[in-house]
Amino acid sequence: LVNRAIQGRYAPGSTFKPVTAIAALLRPGFDPEETYPCEGVFVLGTMRLRCSNTYGHGPVALSKGIEQSCNSYFCHLGQTVGYEAICEQARLLGLGQKTGLDLPSENAGLLPDAAQKERSGGGRWRPGDTCHLAIGQGQLLTTPLQMAALTAAFANGGTLVRPFLARYERQPEKVRELGWPTQALARVREGMRDVAALGTGRRVQVRGVEVAAKTGTAEYDSGGVRRKNTWVTAFAPFAQPSVAVAIVVENG
């Protein structure tokens, strides 16, 4: 009897990476063409965080990082940008808050930061926490509906809208304009288009329709057993989107 669309809380995995990307693109001096060498694992102190390609993606810039969902690049990006900038964009996109859907019992998820971590007894925020946040893991928890609304904001040009049940026909209610520069938004959108055309999301292609997408896999612990939830978020048609979706498969 759990409505997973609004009550299921899941780490979004790599479907969160567009948030990290837009946070980086808003940072003065950030060069999206600058490459980072992915060798298949990101090492930070004693932490070793594997990439989807065991042998590494080689030199990776922002567009390729989104297309190939390169953990090494996004961990590096997280360290470059800092968790505060990533959290700021995540909050503006509605994470950690209820969407306001016209159904009861919606879950707000969890957007972690240094204050929240200390309150929960986890100690101080560490660089490894920033890495996990940058790739959509760690303590970050979202509902599928939140991720659909987030994806819609990238689709529609940078407006967060409040979702509502389709049976109640009305105009979408704007929550806020995100104020992203056109070029920054275009970079992320084009990266998501490449995900579906060339990268990790090729299976979401639809004949005759140009789709943009982001895939994700998020590990979690269940009674001492490591399991994985798999995600895809997408919007279409690319040029004039009318649909945004978020799909999660438990233990996928």
Side-chain angles (χ1 to χ4, degrees):
L1 299 179
V2 174
N3 183 342
R4 285 168 171 77
I6 63 172
Q7 295 174 316
R9 305 201 313 166
Y10 309 92
S14 295
T15 58
F16 181 80
K17 286 175 180 173
V19 182
T20 304
I22 199 72
L25 287 161
L26 296 178
R27 183 175 181 266
F30 172 72
D31 181 4
E33 300 298 332
E34 184 177 337
T35 61
Y36 178 80
C38 171
E39 298 177 349
V41 64
F42 184 81
V43 179
L44 183 68
T46 59
M47 186 184 79
R48 294 175 60 85
L49 208 155
R50 292 172 295 165
C51 201
S52 58
N53 187 325
T54 305
Y55 304 101
H57 291 108
V60 178
L62 182 69
S63 293
K64 184 178 177 182
I66 296 173
E67 173 198 317
Q68 295 297 321
S69 203
C70 178
N71 280 346
S72 296
Y73 178 80
F74 274 92
C75 284
H76 165 72
L77 207 58
Q79 297 301 313
T80 301
V81 178
Y83 84 89
E84 295 96 338
I86 300 171
C87 279
E88 179 183 1
Q89 293 306 309
R91 285 192 191 95
L92 289 173
L93 282 159
L95 299 191
Q97 311 148 50
K98 297 179 181 181
T99 68
L101 180 76
D102 40 3
L103 279 179
S105 305
E106 184 182 5
N107 200 296
L110 175 64
L111 178 61
D113 58 18
Q116 178 275 329
K117 188 182 179 189
E118 287 199 18
R119 284 197 306 271
S120 65
R124 64 183 180 86
W125 190 271
R126 299 178 182 274
D129 296 318
T130 302
C131 279
H132 283 112
L133 177 65
I135 63 172
Q137 299 208 149
Q139 291 184 300
L140 178 65
L141 294 171
T142 61
T143 67
L145 186 64
Q146 285 176 324
M147 294 306 294
L150 180 153
T151 302
F154 284 99
N156 66 26
T159 302
L160 183 68
V161 297
R162 191 183 318 281
F164 60 90
L165 296 182
R167 66 181 294 181
Y168 304 127
E169 295 183 12
R170 60 175 185 262
Q171 289 297 311
E173 179 184 343
K174 291 183 181 180
V175 177
R176 67 180 62 90
E177 296 286 349
L178 296 162
W180 295 331
T182 303
Q183 278 189 314
L185 177 60
R187 285 270 184 178
V188 179
R189 282 171 51 89
E190 288 162 8
M192 294 177 71
R193 179 183 60 189
D194 291 344
V195 168
L198 307 166
T200 58
R202 290 189 296 275
R203 291 184 180 180
V204 306
Q205 292 177 6
V206 177
R207 185 177 299 173
V209 179
E210 192 172 29
V211 180
K214 188 71 196 77
T215 58
T217 303
E219 293 189 357
Y220 70 100
D221 183 86
S222 177
V225 178
R226 299 299 294 173
R227 299 186 182 275
K228 295 179 180 180
N229 293 327
T230 53
W231 283 84
V232 64
T233 55
F235 65 84
F238 178 77
Q240 294 184 306
S242 59
V243 176
V245 301
I247 302 168
V248 60
V249 180
E250 294 180 350
N251 305 324

